[in-house]
């Protein structure tokens, strides 16, 4: 057992009766706008406070010994929002990388990015690349940023890559398996999320990690994202650990002959 797993088991209350501590936690950070509306504030203030919740969550994930944290920060469909909101969100991403990258690097966080990059503005694409390049050799928490991300689009990109290999005569159509499709997704080396948390009370995936979520446990937290903190993360993990993951098999007690 690695040190990281021991740390996380200890931080999250020991082995316990249910499943082990999650190795990969993914978060749909939702409810910034409603948080602001409830207080009579502009939506951008909700997004600004959402960045603070993100900082808290990254620290908490590190403290709890979580190996991988994936955050849904901008979806392929979020381009349909008003231009002023899109500009606020892009501004926050720029500022987040400019202000926080050095601290993330010092904390040994390794940043990865998933989503469509080729259509992003060059400055945003450059900042995302800089974050990955600077932290590439880090060995602590892996922070996967899903930006301009849509799961159907990611699967379509994987299909295009495989189709190109078939067309070039390097791959037989019947050699295409689920594993091969997984290997052509945006971050094939990252294991599937054990736990997906969505804040704000909405209970849907909104085009997030559809392929990878096949056997993820889903926990819906009735807090708006700006309210999320370490206690909420611990609560979601405690709920996860009470679940029984069967992956289509039988429960441990009924697994015998
Ligand atoms: C999440 O909060 C942030 C993004 C989707 C970028 P929302 O902006 O979706 O907030 P609500 O859901 O309207 O409250
Ligand atoms: C999902 O939230 C996307 C992100 C959190 C980045 P949305 O607010 O865009 O999802 P819907 O529209 O409510 O499904
Ligand atoms: Mg929303």
């Amino acid at each position: 057992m690695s040190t990281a797993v021991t740390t996380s088991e200890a931080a999250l209350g020991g082995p316990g009766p249910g499943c082990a501590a999650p190795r990969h936690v993914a978060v749909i950070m939702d409810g910034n706008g409603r948080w602001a509306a409830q207080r009579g504030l502009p939506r951008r203030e909700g997004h600004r406070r959402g960045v603070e919740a993100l900082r808290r969550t990254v620290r908490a994930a590190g403290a709890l010994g979580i190996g991988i944290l994936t955050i849904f920060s901008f979806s392929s469909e979020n381009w349909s929002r008003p231009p002023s909101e899109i500009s606020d969100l892009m501004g926050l991403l720029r500022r987040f990388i400019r202000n926080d990258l050095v601290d993330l690097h010092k904390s040994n966080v390794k940043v990865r990015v998933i989503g469509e990059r080729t259509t992003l503005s060059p400055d945003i694409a450059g900042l995302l690349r800089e974050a990955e390049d600077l932290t590439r050799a880090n060995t602590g928490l892996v922070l996967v940023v899903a930006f301009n991300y849509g799961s159907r689009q990611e699967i379509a990109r994987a299909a295009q890559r495989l189709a190109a290999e078939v067309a070039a005569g390097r791959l037989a159509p019947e050699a295409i398996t689920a594993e091969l499709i997984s290997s052509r997704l945006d971050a094939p080396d990252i294991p599937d999320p054990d736990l997906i948390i969505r804040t704000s009370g909405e209970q849907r995936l909104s085009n997030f990690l559809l392929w990878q979520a096949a056997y993820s446990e889903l926990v819906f937290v009735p807090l708006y994202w700006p309210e999320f903190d370490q206690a909420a993360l611990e609560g979601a993990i405690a709920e996860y650990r009470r679940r029984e993951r069967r992956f289509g098999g039988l429960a441990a007690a009924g697994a015998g002959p």
Side-chain angles (χ1 to χ4, degrees):
M1 188 183 272
S2 75
T3 319
V5 172
T6 311
T7 309
S8 120
E9 292 288 348
L12 296 165
C19 40
R23 178 175 171 207
H24 180 180
V25 175
V27 186
I28 303 174
M29 310 184 289
D30 196 18
N32 293 349
R34 279 165 284 167
W35 179 89
Q38 206 176 50
R39 288 160 180 76
L41 297 168
R43 289 178 64 85
R44 75 168 176 281
E45 185 58 19
H47 295 313
R48 202 185 62 73
R49 294 290 291 263
V51 174
E52 289 173 17
L54 170 60
R55 287 193 187 105
R56 285 198 294 275
T57 305
V58 171
R59 271 199 303 274
L64 295 174
I66 290 166
I68 305 163
L69 176 70
T70 295
I71 50 159
F72 200 6
S73 45
F74 192 85
S75 80
S76 309
E77 289 75 32
N78 286 148
W79 294 108
S80 64
R81 296 191 179 195
S84 62
E85 176 155 354
I86 291 173
S87 144
D88 289 338
L89 289 166
M90 296 297 147
L92 281 173
L93 177 82
R94 278 191 201 94
R95 246 171 293 148
F96 178 70
I97 297 182
R98 288 196 188 119
N99 295 339
D100 289 53
L101 183 57
V102 171
D103 285 343
L104 291 171
H105 184 43
K106 273 191 206 139
S107 310
N108 200 21
V109 172
K110 179 173 176 156
V111 178
R112 298 284 301 274
V113 180
I114 57 173
E116 174 61 58
R117 307 253 205 133
T118 56
T119 54
L120 290 175
S121 72
D123 70 317
I124 297 269
L127 283 169
L128 294 174
R129 198 172 329 108
E130 185 188 328
E132 286 186 309
D133 288 347
L134 180 69
T135 63
R136 193 170 303 279
N138 288 349
T139 54
L141 174 74
V142 177
L143 177 65
V144 183
V145 180
F147 189 80
N148 193 21
Y149 177 85
S151 189
R152 288 180 167 182
Q153 292 84 340
E154 180 190 33
I155 294 166
R157 281 195 294 281
Q160 284 178 9
R161 288 175 193 134
L162 291 170
E165 292 173 49
V166 170
R170 290 195 305 271
L171 181 68
E174 57 275 16
I176 297 176
T177 57
E179 289 71 29
L180 203 64
I181 293 174
S182 294
S183 77
R184 298 303 192 279
L185 296 174
D186 290 351
D189 54 315
I190 301 282
D192 291 343
D194 300 295
L195 165 63
I196 298 180
I197 298 169
R198 183 170 187 149
T199 57
S200 89
E202 303 295 359
Q203 303 195 357
R204 57 176 169 266
L205 286 173
S206 302
N207 203 13
F208 185 51
L209 302 178
L210 302 180
W211 178 275
Q212 298 88 335
Y215 275 103
S216 302
E217 297 294 330
L218 310 182
V219 171
F220 299 102
V221 176
L223 290 173
Y224 292 134
W225 176 249
E227 299 163 331
F228 198 78
D229 59 9
Q230 175 154 343
L233 179 61
E234 286 176 13
I237 291 172
E239 155 114 36
Y240 165 87
R241 298 196 64 186
R242 289 192 290 271
R243 304 272 176 91
E244 182 177 68
R245 304 184 78 188
R246 291 193 287 273
F247 299 97
L250 296 179

